[in-house]
Amino acid sequence: EPEVTQTPSHQVTQMGQEVILRCVPISNHLYFYWYRQILGQKVEFLVSFYNNEISEKSEIFDDQFSVERPDGSNFTLKIRSTKLEDSAMYFCASRNQQDRQEKLFFGSGTQLSVL
Amino acid sequence: QKEVEQDPGPLSVPEGAIVSLNCTYSNSAFQYFMWYRQYSRKGPELLMYTYSSGNKEDGRFTAQVDKSSKYISLFIRDSQPSDSATYLCAMTGGYQKVTFGTGTKLQVIP
């Protein structure tokens, strides 16, 4: 069964450092997303991406965040200067072109720990 | 008022029990309703989705939506220890972002 793959599963970084979280969406999907979940809190939308541009972003997704599809298979989330409050589980998701957002497929997540 | 409200639990039931999980919402723009299951330290896994008021059944799971009351439910029949997880309700207007509830932690005791 096709799945969304995320690497690394756990990332530890120092405050102020840049991190890049990587995702390989399902191969025939064209819409990509990043969500995050702070420990004990709900899953929160960060950004959606289609046709090489951001289609929607939340207030969390400020200038410190960026997304990129550097090639035909990867989708990345970059945090330029990490803060303590960026510590969370980050989930990548994707969906098929024909499907609405009720058919999102999520990866297993990257646990980001900012020290 | 929060857009989506969900009782965090935890909910502990004996094996074989019927489980009822519920969410309320305030945004009338929500038209599509989903239930995700999330195991510890894993990504949400889509269980069921529905568009309209009424019931939708899939095996031991039934999703129920009442748009007039802005209330959705997930029923699990003959619950199994493997059903122990956190259940997230989620909703969207369709092509907009998905908004999640906080999740209800369920434990099914053998």
Side-chain angles (χ1 to χ4, degrees):
Chain A
E1 186 174 326
E3 61 180 15
V4 176
T5 306
Q6 289 186 246
T7 56
S9 58
H10 197 176
Q11 175 87 49
V12 181
T13 190
Q14 295 290 325
M15 189 170 58
Q17 294 297 305
E18 175 183 287
V19 294
I20 298 176
L21 309 182
R22 303 180 191 279
C23 169
V24 178
I26 293 173
S27 62
N28 64 339
H29 287 188
L30 298 177
Y31 293 80
F32 314 117
Y33 305 84
W34 286 101
Y35 284 77
R36 79 172 186 188
Q37 186 175 31
I38 295 171
L39 187 63
Q41 298 186 24
K42 67 177 185 177
V43 176
E44 299 177 290
F45 170 77
L46 291 179
V47 66
S48 58
F49 189 87
Y50 170 71
N51 199 25
N52 282 321
E53 61 182 31
I54 291 172
S55 45
E56 188 179 3
K57 61 182 180 179
S58 73
E59 59 276 6
I60 302 169
F61 194 89
D62 61 22
D63 292 344
Q64 292 301 309
F65 291 86
S66 62
V67 289
E68 189 180 26
R69 185 147 166 87
D71 54 44
S73 59
N74 290 282
F75 179 52
T76 62
L77 175 69
K78 182 193 290 186
I79 309 175
R80 289 189 185 82
S81 178
T82 50
K83 307 184 190 72
L84 295 176
E85 55 265 36
D86 293 328
S87 295
M89 181 75 96
Y90 288 80
F91 294 109
C92 175
S94 69
R95 71 173 169 93
N96 190 287
Q97 185 172 9
Q98 283 78 35
D99 294 330
R100 288 177 295 262
Q101 292 206 34
E102 71 271 20
K103 292 187 181 179
L104 284 184
F105 292 86
F106 284 82
S108 291
T110 294
Q111 177 64 54
L112 176 64
S113 299
V114 182
L115 306 178
Chain B
Q1 185 181 10
K2 291 181 182 177
E3 273 196 305
V4 180
E5 302 218 39
Q6 183 175 10
D7 186 338
L11 184 60
S12 185
V13 302
E15 183 175 353
I18 296 174
V19 176
S20 172
L21 304 166
N22 311 295
C23 286
T24 58
Y25 64 97
S26 59
N27 189 342
S28 299
F30 291 144
Q31 297 295 321
Y32 304 94
F33 306 92
M34 298 80 78
W35 286 95
Y36 283 84
R37 177 173 61 197
Q38 186 178 27
Y39 293 111
S40 182
R41 316 306 278 173
K42 294 294 185 183
E45 172 195 7
L46 181 64
L47 272 179
M48 296 186 70
Y49 62 91
T50 184
Y51 318 125
S52 54
S53 283
N55 294 349
K56 180 178 180 181
E57 193 172 312
D58 184 0
R60 296 184 295 111
F61 298 88
T62 299
Q64 188 175 79
V65 173
D66 182 346
K67 288 188 178 180
S68 62
S69 301
K70 295 189 176 65
Y71 187 88
I72 69 170
S73 300
L74 178 71
F75 298 96
I76 307 174
R77 288 184 299 281
D78 186 26
S79 54
Q80 303 295 310
S82 57
D83 295 329
S84 297
T86 297
Y87 289 80
L88 313 174
C89 65
M91 25 200 103
T92 176
Y95 292 97
Q96 297 80 36
K97 67 177 183 180
V98 174
T99 300
F100 285 84
T102 50
T104 300
K105 188 171 184 179
L106 171 67
Q107 184 178 18
V108 180
I109 302 169

